[in-house]
Amino acid sequence: MSLPEKIEVSADRKYPVYLGAALEDLGGYIHSLPDKVEQILVISHKKVADLYLERLMTGLGDYTVDLMIVPAGEEEKSLDRLSRLTTDALGFGADRKTLVIALGGGVIGDLAGFFASVYMRGIRLIQVPTTLLAQVDSSIGGKVAVNHPAGKNILGAFHPPVAVWTDFRTLDSLPWIEVENGLAESIKHALITDSDFFSFFETQADSIKRRDPVIWREMVARSASIKVRVVSQDEREQGIRRLLNLGHSFGHALETEMNYRGVTHGQGVSIGIVAAAFLANAKGLITLNEVERIKQVLRCYDLPTSISRQDPHALLQRMETDKKNQGGRKILILPQGIGNAVVSKECKDEEILDAWQKVILEDN
Ligand SMILES: NC(=O)c1ccc[n+]([C@@H]2O[C@H](COP(=O)([O-])OP(=O)(O)OC[C@H]3O[C@@H](n4cnc5c(N)ncnc54)[C@H](O)[C@@H]3O)[C@@H](O)[C@H]2O)c1
């Protein structure tokens, strides 16, 4: 068995991200923590627990472990679910020494993380991400949240984990549609920071689609390292972390306009990246050739680069309520060539409309 690679998030509080770790070894790591753990709550989905709890439990034999199963779905990131978790945790006798393990994708990570951030004013958390999106993105950076009827992630906190424990083998069971959500974020990481990594996505498409384990290992490790680097520089999203929102203002507008039906988050981000690239081209930040390269790489992974039957004006309207806007001005992240991105506060509505039009297909 190869040893996991350890990289450190050096934010307000440092914490390690273990890449290529084995679920079976997590118990040994918990034993080594300086503050004794007396009880563990594992929060997961049934499907994920059925697949991976047994392996996780191999190392946790010395602890009292209670399992809390949450139904799958974004709607479970709710105050109602938080309240139920609290009732269950109290029933299990969880106290301030209890450790929460979030075993799952971004939904579990955000929900279990938010629960850990508020239960008895905050208890320890270990993120054990099992989706590509969670391994390269959501488990790293300390953001945790639940949704409110008024919007996604409206109630949240920064609650950095004790550690992120990433077992690449959990990705073997991930359906391709979920892989796509993570790929959209990984390609975005490459586009905003690393042209060489962008070329990796261009040249390794066959291996990635075949799920070649060596190439996947490299892809997840490089992408997670980018997230670690960015949040280490700017944990609270005052500067460089904002670049991670590339494609999300457009994508989120599309997701909400379509009522979260017929477009996944990854697909929304993919189309959003292309719209942002067209806008960047109009501003002279990127060539049409580079826009074409971006479209091409997304298409390689079956990610969409356009959408039909949408009203650009309605989509522009949706962007009015973006959390990132400041003083009524839309703040957009635009690629600058391949491997770089900038924050733009100077995008006029006509330019944004134009970018939307370029990704909306005319119906015959
Ligand atoms: N906190 C952050 O910084 C951050 C960043 C990006 C996204 N997010 C959040 O992440 C969430 C999306 O996360 P996601 O894309 O991981 O979706 P998800 O957590 O809903 O997981 C998708 C599906 O995959 C299943 N699954 C998980 N692991 C599996 C495995 N190994 N094998 C088979 N099936 C598995 C889950 O049960 C679920 O049905 C959103 O709520 C989003 O807001 C948070």
Side-chain angles (χ1 to χ4, degrees):
M1 191 196 66
S2 57
L3 283 175
E5 180 187 347
K6 176 183 168 186
I7 45 179
E8 195 157 68
V9 177
S10 51
D12 263 1
R13 191 176 57 65
K14 288 189 184 357
Y15 58 93
V17 175
Y18 289 97
L19 299 168
L23 292 179
E24 291 83 349
D25 296 337
L26 181 60
Y29 174 74
I30 293 172
H31 272 288
S32 74
L33 292 176
D35 287 331
K36 198 164 169 264
V37 171
E38 283 170 3
Q39 185 193 8
I40 295 174
L41 295 177
V42 177
I43 303 181
S44 193
H45 287 151
K46 179 173 184 317
K47 178 179 168 191
V48 180
D50 284 350
L51 286 164
Y52 299 115
L53 187 67
E54 200 179 317
R55 283 183 51 207
L56 191 73
M57 288 303 293
T58 312
L60 299 180
D62 294 349
Y63 296 102
T64 306
V65 181
D66 293 296
L67 175 64
M68 302 207 281
I69 292 290
V70 174
E74 179 69 30
E75 60 283 4
E76 293 298 329
K77 266 175 61 175
S78 67
L79 276 180
D80 183 43
R81 181 54 61 187
L82 181 75
S83 167
R84 289 179 199 209
L85 288 178
T86 306
T87 307
D88 291 349
L90 289 168
F92 290 132
D95 62 18
R96 303 201 64 199
K97 289 243 171 243
T98 299
L99 168 81
V100 172
I101 294 180
L103 174 68
V107 164
I108 287 292
D110 277 10
L111 171 68
F114 191 62
F115 165 76
S117 78
V118 289
Y119 187 77
M120 299 195 174
R121 295 206 178 81
I123 59 175
R124 284 170 293 173
L125 165 74
I126 292 186
Q127 293 276 8
V128 182
T130 63
T131 63
L132 181 59
L133 179 133
Q135 295 196 355
V136 301
D137 189 357
S138 62
S139 67
I140 303 162
K143 281 190 188 177
V144 293
V146 295
N147 301 327
H148 181 273
K152 236 183 114 154
N153 299 330
I154 293 284
L155 298 163
F158 282 95
H159 190 61
V162 171
V164 180
W165 195 260
T166 296
D167 184 332
F168 298 141
R169 283 189 293 157
T170 58
L171 299 180
D172 293 350
S173 54
L174 199 64
W176 185 258
I177 185 93
E178 300 299 342
V179 172
E180 275 183 4
N181 289 326
L183 279 174
E185 303 293 352
S186 282
I187 293 169
K188 176 203 71 185
H189 285 168
L191 179 59
I192 61 178
T193 64
D194 186 342
S195 59
D196 185 56
F197 189 33
F198 190 87
S199 307
F200 169 90
F201 281 108
E202 291 177 314
T203 54
Q204 298 294 347
D206 284 347
S207 309
I208 290 173
K209 289 175 91 170
R210 256 191 293 114
R211 302 191 187 217
D212 178 312
V214 176
I215 296 296
W216 267 57
R217 195 185 170 98
E218 180 177 350
M219 172 181 77
V220 179
R222 287 178 81 167
S223 191
S225 304
I226 290 173
K227 180 81 190 263
V228 165
R229 208 165 65 229
V230 169
V231 301
S232 293
Q233 287 174 59
D234 175 28
E235 187 177 34
R236 298 270 161 171
E237 203 169 317
Q238 303 300 307
I240 188 177
R241 189 167 181 173
R242 290 194 290 177
L243 301 183
L244 295 172
N245 292 317
L246 174 71
H248 283 65
S249 300
F250 285 99
H252 194 222
L254 191 60
E255 280 185 272
T256 43
E257 180 63 16
M258 292 177 72
N259 230 343
Y260 297 93
R261 279 193 283 269
V263 63
T264 64
H265 179 67
Q267 291 167 343
V269 169
S270 178
I271 294 164
I273 289 173
V274 178
F278 275 121
L279 185 46
N281 173 250
K283 290 188 155 304
L285 295 168
I286 189 169
T287 66
L288 266 186
N289 264 347
E290 288 168 327
V291 176
E292 211 36 58
R293 266 181 80 190
I294 294 169
K295 286 170 72 174
Q296 198 54 40
V297 86
L298 293 166
R299 282 200 203 109
C300 273
Y301 298 96
D302 308 322
L303 284 160
T305 56
S306 59
I307 186 101
S308 54
R309 286 189 291 279
Q310 292 300 320
D311 172 7
H313 294 274
L315 291 164
L316 179 69
Q317 187 63 36
R318 291 277 178 193
M319 292 169 87
E320 296 290 337
T321 49
D322 195 294
K323 284 204 288 287
K324 271 91 71 189
N325 293 348
Q326 277 172 11
R329 277 204 297 187
K330 297 186 185 67
I331 310 287
L332 289 171
I333 312 303
L334 302 179
Q336 186 171 38
I338 305 278
N340 243 315
V342 290
V343 178
S344 174
K345 300 179 182 165
E346 312 296 337
C347 296
K348 298 194 192 76
D349 283 358
E350 308 83 74
E351 294 174 313
I352 299 173
L353 267 179
D354 218 43
W356 272 123
Q357 257 137 8
K358 292 199 163 91
V359 297
I360 296 173
L361 295 176
E362 300 285 333
D363 281 325
N364 295 322

